[in-house]
Amino acid sequence: MSEYLTLHEEPGELRRPIIIMAFSGWNDAAESATTAARYLSQIWSSRPFASIDPEDFYHFGLSRPYVRFKTGSRTEREIVWPATEFSLAQPSELERDIVVGVTIEPHLKWRTYCAAVLELAHRCRASMVLTLGALLAEVAHTQPIRLAGSSYDPELSARLGLKPTRYEGPTGIVGVLNTVCREARVPTASLWANVPHYVSGIENPRAALALVRRVLTMLDTEADLTDLREAAEQFDQNLGAIVAQSTKIADYVRRLERKSSDDDEEPAAPAEPPEPPAVAEIKDELPPAGDLVAEIEQFLRQQHRPKDP
């Protein structure tokens, strides 16, 4: 075993496990991918399974560890490092086991980091490594979340309804990990949610819900998603109330809706989330995204403010 990967238990006879990973940062617009991955790890009873030591992969000045009180103590503290933690679920209703890893995109030694993930896949005899991502796109928040994906395996692409990516350009850890898996002949796929660019700074439960549903469909199973669905509905209501207060933003959203209705085919997502050129061209027609985010945050604070007796 490498010096970076730690298994908290021996894999034993796992049932065709699938490794699902999401990384916060550049691959995670509106925190949609990491929210979806964490939610998937909570659907079934899971336990700590493995970890990748962060020492050689993170600049702690950029992703700082944090201090907290130990469980049950108000005097003794511990340091929590930005390690990659994997959980293992073995739901009886599924024919396979689920390993979920959520972490911050590493800053350093990506090839070495991906080799540690690949070692875990080999040790588990993983049947697939599935990465989740989210990208900013020229889409309206009023329309269903568009999902797309990519896979280097034609049979896997056909089974999951994925199209080959045509993206060329800067890549993130997701793109590197998918390539490393492909070169090692480990089946790999990537699912991406398209997130409205004008609400990029706010966690988007609608996009997370879309990713979770697609993964469950891929696993041929169902789960109670009530809390995530309710969060998505509340998100829609809050955002709708804010957008309705701005004629300029409302007009822009209607333009996006018309543009989307003219697209007969759902576009294949790129391997990474570059800024769409069309978005850059029309930004001057919108208030700054930060202003819209600030308005929404203020609205949410007002919604939760205690009412006067």
Side-chain angles (χ1 to χ4, degrees), residues 221-293:
T221 190
E222 297 179 349
D224 183 3
L225 308 180
T226 300
D227 52 348
L228 187 56
R229 188 176 64 252
E230 290 177 349
E233 292 171 354
Q234 187 64 56
F235 174 83
D236 282 343
Q237 293 175 13
N238 293 340
L239 185 55
I242 288 297
V243 173
Q245 297 176 17
S246 171
T247 302
K248 179 177 286 189
I249 298 175
D251 289 343
Y252 175 68
V253 170
R254 284 191 288 270
R255 286 176 52 198
L256 289 179
E257 292 171 341
R258 289 193 298 269
K259 181 180 183 301
S260 179
S261 64
D262 293 337
D263 295 336
D264 296 328
E265 184 178 328
E266 182 173 314
E272 307 303 331
E275 182 180 44
V279 171
E281 293 169 2
I282 60 180
K283 273 187 174 178
D284 291 340
E285 302 178 18
L286 272 176
D291 292 350
L292 178 56
V293 170

Side-chain angles (χ1 to χ4, degrees), residues 55-72:
E55 185 69 20
D56 283 354
F57 304 117
Y58 291 94
H59 185 312
F60 296 132
L62 300 176
S63 295
R64 293 185 179 276
Y66 63 95
V67 63
R68 68 183 181 188
F69 288 107
K70 288 188 175 181
T71 303

